[in-house]
Amino acid sequence: MFEQLRGPVQDLPRHARIRRSGDRVQGVFVLLRGWVFSSVELPNGQRQILKVHLPGDILGAPSIVLPRAMETLSAATLVTVAPVPLSAFGVLQAEAPRLMASLFLSSQQERVMLSDRLAAVGRTPAAQRFAALLLQLHDRLAGPATGTVSLHVPLTQEDFADLLGITSVHVNRILRQLLSAGLILRRQYDYTFDPERLREFSGMPRREWIRNPAWLYPAPGQA
Amino acid sequence: MFEQLRGPVQDLPRHARIRRSGDRVQGVFVLLRGWVFSSVELPNGQRQILKVHLPGDILGAPSIVLPRAMETLSAATLVTVAPVPLSAFGVLQAEAPRLMASLFLSSQQERVMLSDRLAAVGRTPAAQRFAALLLQLHDRLAGPATGTVSLHVPLTQEDFADLLGITSVHVNRILRQLLSAGLILRRQYDYTFDPERLREFSGMPRREWIRNPAWLYPAPGQA
DNA sequence: CGAGTGCTTGATGGCAATCAAACACCGTGG
DNA sequence: CCACGGTGTTTGATTGCCATCAAGCACTCG
């Protein structure tokens, strides 16, 4: 559906700004390839990364209720994105109400993830948040798994710092702490760990998601 | 619309749990009177309050994508609430697509507010977050104002602590710091301050909201 | 009038920030 | 070919925000 409504595809290098905080909101973007950060910049020059977006994600949706964008969208890797104008939502709303309901649901899912982050940043030490971040990335990239897993995470320690709400110096100390505790292994940007042990350490609950709620898909096959 | 779909009204005393984290999700609630906290509980027994809900708010919406509730809903004051079953969303989706789109928008607004909180908790000292909290409550209760304003906030310092992600002891020290700096006045649970000065101190941007986006309400009067 | 709740203040300690300085790696240009 | 700046990583020393522990006070309520 979005494919018909979206604009021309663009390739952008790492560190490129797809949209800056404060820009007039023209619409949203669809991420087709690569990783994108959505972040907030603070008056003192620091930034807090709100979310790492993976391919398939819709970028910049929260700002559709604002005249000027709240978040900066920046390319964490080489990326491919496509713009989607605001008018697309008008089309969806009129012609695909069920898809609109499904967008509503996915934004609730985003609220759950943001809430978990808020609780973690407010209440748990940085080492546990780092563990939780690795786990969450693995879940989103590969789904639940058992036994030791490997994960390629093309993020610098500076990126981790902005995600976790700490400094890059401290990221390094924590990483070293997890390495010497044997909780993770690392070679370059490849991380290896046991999800079970890491989850226990992180203290984060495992979340199950309802994919097709009964109220939206009344009886399988009738749709 | 919700009035037709909701269940019987209930009155609950302060500290009552409307729904506990982990409960099976039956639906959402509408808050008719009083203040309600939605909070997450952590393994170590601490809690992080995600949001203070004011009358008119929908409670527990994020958990509709989960089999078991993520947030605990607890009464901050004497409250009146009414349950809304999940099936109500099916009715809305089928019969009131525009209302569904409007729910989608308000959940984006919640994402913006959560994002601001996340950035604040991750990146700013507690005194500034306290200032931001007072401002946000004032904006939601009374709308933008100029000159000195007064605000009744029926929250204990323990409540503030769980909202800000600090301890109640530290809330007290920060409150005293703001008082002696002349940024706020307080008598009992009534706070008086100058929004301009407090906003400058807090470092939070002022947010404008789009109420009726063109794509949802194409031409004023046609709807 | 004792128990509970909420507020206040002091002393001490820890997690993480800040400041500082190397080191490795890489692409560029003289 | 090597010098060079830029980016990213690593480690040490010091500082500061906030947690923790502790204790006292005010107020309300059964």
Side-chain angles (χ1 to χ4, degrees):
Chain A
M1 187 79 188
F2 267 131
E3 280 183 30
Q4 302 167 10
L5 300 167
R6 77 186 186 207
V9 166
Q10 313 175 30
D11 288 313
L12 294 169
R14 193 164 93 101
H15 287 166
R17 299 292 163 88
I18 299 164
R19 188 182 66 190
R20 245 170 253 254
S21 165
D23 286 357
R24 183 162 291 282
V25 176
Q26 311 281 358
V28 299
F29 299 85
V30 174
L31 178 57
L32 301 174
R33 189 165 53 105
W35 291 20
V36 166
F37 297 134
S38 69
S39 60
V40 176
E41 275 135 28
L42 289 104
N44 59 14
Q46 296 185 331
R47 70 169 179 174
Q48 170 73 47
I49 296 180
L50 300 171
K51 187 179 167 85
V52 179
H53 290 280
L54 305 181
D57 281 6
I58 294 175
L59 313 177
S63 289
I64 66 175
V65 294
L66 303 172
R68 298 189 171 278
M70 175 197 70
E71 350 84 303
T72 296
L73 300 171
S74 49
T77 65
L78 173 67
V79 301
T80 306
V81 300
V84 177
L86 278 180
S87 58
F89 287 98
V91 176
L92 284 188
Q93 184 264 139
E95 298 179 11
R98 184 162 300 187
L99 185 49
M100 184 54 106
S102 150
L103 284 180
F104 170 69
L105 283 181
S106 73
S107 77
Q108 300 308 330
Q109 193 170 342
E110 296 294 340
R111 282 177 71 183
V112 171
M113 292 194 283
L114 265 176
S115 299
D116 280 339
R117 298 266 322 273
L118 178 60
V121 169
R123 295 298 192 183
T124 64
Q128 293 179 39
R129 304 209 297 273
F130 187 94
L133 174 57
L134 276 187
L135 278 171
Q136 207 222 6
L137 283 173
H138 179 264
D139 277 358
R140 290 170 62 200
L141 285 166
T146 57
T148 304
V149 299
S150 262
L151 192 63
H152 183 75
V153 184
L155 305 182
T156 67
Q157 295 185 9
E158 190 107 20
D159 294 332
F160 280 121
D162 289 337
L163 269 161
L164 300 174
I166 60 180
T167 60
S168 63
V169 172
H170 200 58
V171 168
N172 188 275
R173 294 193 217 276
I174 278 163
L175 185 51
R176 231 124 265 295
Q177 182 183 321
L178 293 177
L179 287 170
S180 68
L183 279 168
I184 60 178
L185 292 176
R186 185 188 55 139
R187 204 167 53 189
Q188 304 283 57
Y189 291 93
D190 293 310
Y191 297 81
T192 305
F193 52 90
D194 176 351
E196 292 306 319
R197 286 217 302 148
L198 210 54
R199 189 177 304 276
E200 188 186 359
F201 173 77
S202 78
M204 287 292 288
R206 177 196 301 277
R207 294 252 172 254
E208 261 179 85
W209 306 98
I210 291 178
R211 305 201 166 223
N212 304 315
W215 60 265
L216 185 56
Y217 302 92
Q222 280 194 15
Chain B
M1 189 78 190
F2 267 132
E3 279 183 31
Q4 301 167 12
L5 299 166
R6 77 188 187 206
V9 166
Q10 313 174 29
D11 288 312
L12 294 169
R14 192 164 93 103
H15 287 167
R17 299 294 163 87
I18 299 164
R19 188 181 65 188
R20 245 170 253 253
S21 164
D23 285 357
R24 183 161 291 283
V25 176
Q26 310 281 359
V28 299
F29 299 85
V30 174
L31 178 57
L32 301 173
R33 189 165 52 105
W35 292 18
V36 165
F37 297 134
S38 67
S39 60
V40 176
E41 274 135 30
L42 290 104
N44 58 14
Q46 295 185 329
R47 71 168 179 173
Q48 171 72 48
I49 297 180
L50 299 172
K51 185 178 168 84
V52 179
H53 290 280
L54 305 181
D57 281 7
I58 294 174
L59 313 177
S63 288
I64 65 174
V65 294
L66 302 172
R68 298 188 171 278
M70 174 196 71
E71 351 85 302
T72 295
L73 300 171
S74 49
T77 65
L78 174 66
V79 301
T80 305
V81 300
V84 177
L86 278 179
S87 57
F89 288 97
V91 176
L92 285 189
Q93 185 263 139
E95 297 179 13
R98 185 162 297 189
L99 186 49
M100 185 53 109
S102 150
L103 283 180
F104 170 68
L105 284 181
S106 73
S107 78
Q108 300 308 330
Q109 192 171 341
E110 295 295 339
R111 282 177 71 183
V112 171
M113 292 194 283
L114 265 176
S115 299
D116 280 340
R117 298 267 322 273
L118 178 59
V121 170
R123 295 299 192 183
T124 66
Q128 294 179 38
R129 304 209 297 273
F130 187 94
L133 174 57
L134 277 188
L135 278 171
Q136 207 222 7
L137 283 173
H138 179 263
D139 278 357
R140 290 170 62 200
L141 285 166
T146 58
T148 303
V149 299
S150 262
L151 193 62
H152 183 75
V153 183
L155 305 182
T156 68
Q157 294 185 8
E158 189 109 20
D159 294 332
F160 280 122
D162 290 337
L163 269 162
L164 300 173
I166 60 180
T167 60
S168 63
V169 173
H170 201 58
V171 167
N172 189 275
R173 294 193 217 275
I174 278 163
L175 185 51
R176 233 125 263 297
Q177 181 183 322
L178 293 177
L179 288 171
S180 69
L183 279 169
I184 60 178
L185 293 175
R186 185 188 56 140
R187 204 168 53 189
Q188 304 283 58
Y189 290 93
D190 293 309
Y191 297 81
T192 305
F193 53 88
D194 176 353
E196 292 305 318
R197 286 216 302 149
L198 210 56
R199 190 178 303 275
E200 188 185 0
F201 173 78
S202 77
M204 287 292 288
R206 177 196 301 277
R207 294 252 171 255
E208 259 181 87
W209 306 98
I210 291 179
R211 305 200 166 224
N212 304 317
W215 60 266
L216 185 55
Y217 302 93
Q222 280 193 15

